[in-house]
Amino acid sequence: MFGSNKNNSLSKTGEPESPSINLIGTGTTIEGDIKSNGDIRIDGTLIGRINSKGKVVIGTTGKVEGEVHCQNADISGTLNAKITVSELLSLKSTAKLMGDIVTNRLAIEPGANFSGACSMGGVIKDMKYGGKSEPVQAAEKTA
């Protein structure tokens, strides 16, 4: 009962099991690349790349100019870049995306603006985070 030595806060690799949520607030501008094991929300401006093992949310006031690689994404603001999502990409009604999309699943609300090419379905096999390898391309489907 009291003899358990389990450490629930760290995984076997020494990283936290429940990653933190990161926030770039309205009025904040960051120039540079971001690599995160957790989720990230952007309500300000980011000029650079995002590599996240979690979910990326770009709020209605958010703007990103640079490549995005993540597991899931909800876009309500502006994205001027290529985005690669291993699971679900959701473009909300206020989204403005200018760039190419590579994703497994895509949801687009009425009113969202998208300009670029879209590859979806079985296009992502083993996505590596860190931007060092591109996703494996398979048969291409268009939305």
Side-chain angles (χ1 to χ4, degrees):
M1 174 159 83
F2 295 105
S4 175
N5 268 346
K6 281 189 174 181
N7 185 351
N8 291 331
S9 63
L10 295 178
S11 68
K12 292 180 183 177
T13 62
E15 294 180 11
E17 285 185 4
S18 55
S20 63
I21 297 173
N22 303 285
L23 173 66
I24 298 173
T26 304
T28 301
T29 299
I30 294 180
E31 292 184 24
D33 298 343
I34 295 176
K35 183 176 179 182
S36 174
N37 288 330
D39 298 342
I40 185 164
R41 180 179 177 94
I42 299 170
D43 291 315
T45 301
L46 172 70
I47 301 168
R49 294 182 183 178
I50 300 174
N51 291 298
S52 175
K53 291 183 181 178
K55 184 176 191 175
V56 172
V57 176
I58 300 176
T60 55
T61 59
K63 182 177 182 180
V64 175
E65 294 183 17
E67 288 189 27
V68 177
H69 296 268
C70 59
Q71 184 176 8
N72 291 292
D74 283 349
I75 311 297
S76 297
T78 303
L79 176 63
N80 294 318
K82 176 181 179 181
I83 183 167
T84 304
V85 181
S86 62
E87 291 181 16
L88 174 64
L89 169 61
S90 296
L91 298 179
K92 305 300 183 182
S93 62
T94 56
K96 293 180 180 86
L97 194 153
M98 282 74 63
D100 295 340
I101 294 173
V102 178
T103 187
N104 191 28
R105 294 181 297 146
L106 176 64
I108 303 176
E109 290 183 0
N113 290 311
F114 163 60
S115 177
C118 178
S119 298
M120 61 179 288
V123 295
I124 299 179
K125 298 295 178 196
D126 296 313
M127 186 163 80
K128 304 251 188 229
Y129 296 94
K132 294 184 181 171
S133 72
E134 290 294 317
V136 176
Q137 294 291 327
E140 191 172 299
K141 297 179 182 177
T142 57

